[in-house]
Amino acid sequence: MSNWLTDGIEAAVNKVDAQASRGGDFPHITQDGKWCTTPDGVWTGGFWAGLLWLGYEAQKSRALLTAATSLTDRLLPRAADAVNHDLGFMFYPSAIKGWRITGDERYFNAALSAANSLATQFNPQGGFIPGWGFFGGEDWSGSVLIDTLMNLPLLVWAVNHGADERLLDVVHRHAKTALANHQRVDGSVFHVYKFDPADGTPIAGDTYQGLDASSAWSRGQGWALGGFAMLADMTGSQEYLAAAQRVASYVEKRLPEDFIPPWDYSAGASAVKDSSAGAITAYGLIRLWDLTSDARHLDLAETMLKALCSHCLIRDERAPILAHATADLPHGLGIDESTIYGDYYFLKSLLALRDIKDQHEQRENGAHGSLVQTLAG
Ligand code: GLY
């Protein structure tokens, strides 16, 4: 096993362990290198609970189990959120993962309930879930974020576990809306697409966190790649697979020489970085490799993760795992800082890559295994 990989996993898990021992609320993004925390987990609480579960799986310590349980428990009331397109982010890495590990039925029921809350937000005229919840005071009822794609696996999981089949219609209608409107001919995606919320008429592409409407906000490309790849895996859709492949080829062409995305691919290679976009993109590439067996995707994911380990992994006493993430440059939030979602997808991707390498070795020795649990979420 590569040293950089085992070393990166160990460093990341130690950070999770140290942060867990400090206790407290949900880390969100940093300011001046220090976590800003939230009591209810805003839209990111699932990533911190998810990191605790990943840390627990790696270390099997009682302290991490206690922390993972406690933080997941605190998220459960959020399953009833009525205006929150991020319920997949909040419940897949936390409650579903916790249910798989512990069998706790409260987690299973909360994830099903969160899926129903998410589906209830669907606008049938437009064929989309609005990107509402946490951004500013403007009306988001006709604005659809590319990020929402990553939340739809919660609905597929729910249908596979007894929820109403109509949740799957929501998945396909929302994903088809994104295919028809968000994805451009060069494979990149708009961050936002605006619709008339009353009759669903498409209006125009736009952005909220990117450089401008026509730019390619890096994290958005990662959300699209990961979202389409996961949905392709979970539903068998060749259309979603092709969409993920188009985003992947776009990113491959636009990555700078150091393989760490600038905050927006249209901002140029010397612009401030977004390591979280790198981690999310690497995860999407791993999911795409798992679907296609195309070694190019896995090689690129490995190169990106190695670059993050070399240039962004924080090795000193500071709490977060990855430096050089940019949360929201246009609104002056978390520029060249850390994010809990970057940290989560970084560790998740490193663990997936480790398991892939382990299985490769086992196969060479005649054994067979499955990546289903490592990749899920
Ligand atoms: N989903 C919001 C973000 O990526 O900042």
Side-chain angles (χ1 to χ4, degrees), residues 6-331:
T6 47
D7 171 63
I9 291 169
E10 193 185 340
V13 170
N14 286 341
K15 292 260 181 204
V16 172
D17 191 37
Q19 178 66 21
S21 68
R22 291 181 195 109
D25 290 336
F26 296 90
H28 175 55
I29 61 174
T30 62
Q31 191 175 335
D32 301 324
K34 299 214 163 50
W35 283 123
C36 302
T37 60
T38 67
D40 70 347
V42 277
W43 67 275
T44 53
F47 299 122
W48 175 229
L51 275 167
L52 291 166
W53 287 118
L54 294 179
Y56 168 67
E57 276 189 322
Q59 281 196 350
K60 293 287 182 308
S61 78
R62 180 139 294 276
L64 279 173
L65 177 61
T66 304
T69 305
S70 156
L71 273 291
T72 302
D73 288 0
R74 284 176 60 180
L75 285 178
L76 300 187
R78 301 289 308 279
D81 278 9
V83 182
N84 177 1
H85 74 115
D86 285 322
L87 284 164
F89 284 146
M90 297 193 68
F91 282 84
Y92 220 122
S94 58
I96 294 178
K97 182 76 175 174
W99 168 66
R100 284 187 180 136
I101 291 175
T102 65
D104 189 330
E105 287 293 311
R106 290 175 313 131
Y107 296 164
F108 177 84
N109 291 331
L112 278 185
S113 164
N116 283 314
S117 299
L118 182 60
T120 303
Q121 299 171 49
F122 183 66
N123 175 332
Q125 280 73 38
F128 58 76
I129 295 168
W132 52 27
F134 306 99
F135 290 141
E138 64 200 78
D139 176 14
W140 280 83
S141 58
S143 296
V144 182
L145 292 170
I146 196 66
D147 321 24
T148 306
L149 283 179
M150 284 288 278
N151 287 282
L152 302 182
L154 174 68
L155 302 185
V156 186
W157 174 88
V159 171
N160 291 340
H161 290 82
D164 193 315
E165 291 276 334
R166 278 175 295 188
L167 269 58
L168 209 49
D169 296 338
V170 169
V171 171
H172 289 305
R173 287 202 59 202
H174 183 104
K176 285 192 172 139
T177 300
L179 270 173
N181 297 283
H182 286 75
Q183 192 161 42
R184 307 171 179 128
V185 284
D186 66 359
S188 69
V189 291
F190 286 110
H191 178 207
V192 179
Y193 207 94
K194 292 201 161 169
F195 299 84
D196 181 330
D199 62 12
T201 307
I203 300 172
D206 200 356
T207 195
Y208 184 75
Q209 279 150 284
L211 184 66
D212 57 46
S214 61
S215 75
W217 178 52
S218 307
R219 195 156 66 252
Q221 311 313 305
W223 292 139
L225 169 50
F228 278 127
M230 287 163 76
L231 292 174
D233 183 27
M234 295 175 89
T235 68
S237 161
Q238 292 302 305
E239 270 188 287
Y240 306 159
L241 174 58
Q245 284 170 317
R246 286 193 294 271
V247 187
S249 335
Y250 176 85
V251 167
E252 201 177 340
K253 285 187 218 118
R254 300 301 297 267
L255 276 169
E257 273 177 13
D258 64 3
F259 291 98
I260 300 166
W263 72 281
D264 187 310
Y265 288 112
S266 312
S270 62
V272 67
K273 297 289 186 184
D274 182 8
S275 58
S276 79
I280 293 158
T281 301
Y283 182 66
L285 287 165
I286 291 172
R287 298 294 300 234
L288 198 49
W289 166 81
D290 190 46
L291 283 167
T292 60
S293 302
D294 182 342
R296 253 190 29 213
H297 300 315
L298 193 60
D299 290 347
L300 182 55
E302 180 163 352
T303 304
M304 293 180 78
L305 291 170
K306 212 170 177 175
L308 291 175
C309 283
S310 300
H311 303 299
C312 302
L313 179 54
I314 299 173
R315 305 249 172 210
D316 58 28
E317 295 306 303
R318 283 173 291 162
I321 299 172
L322 276 189
H324 307 307
T326 293
D328 183 352
L329 187 139
H331 299 91

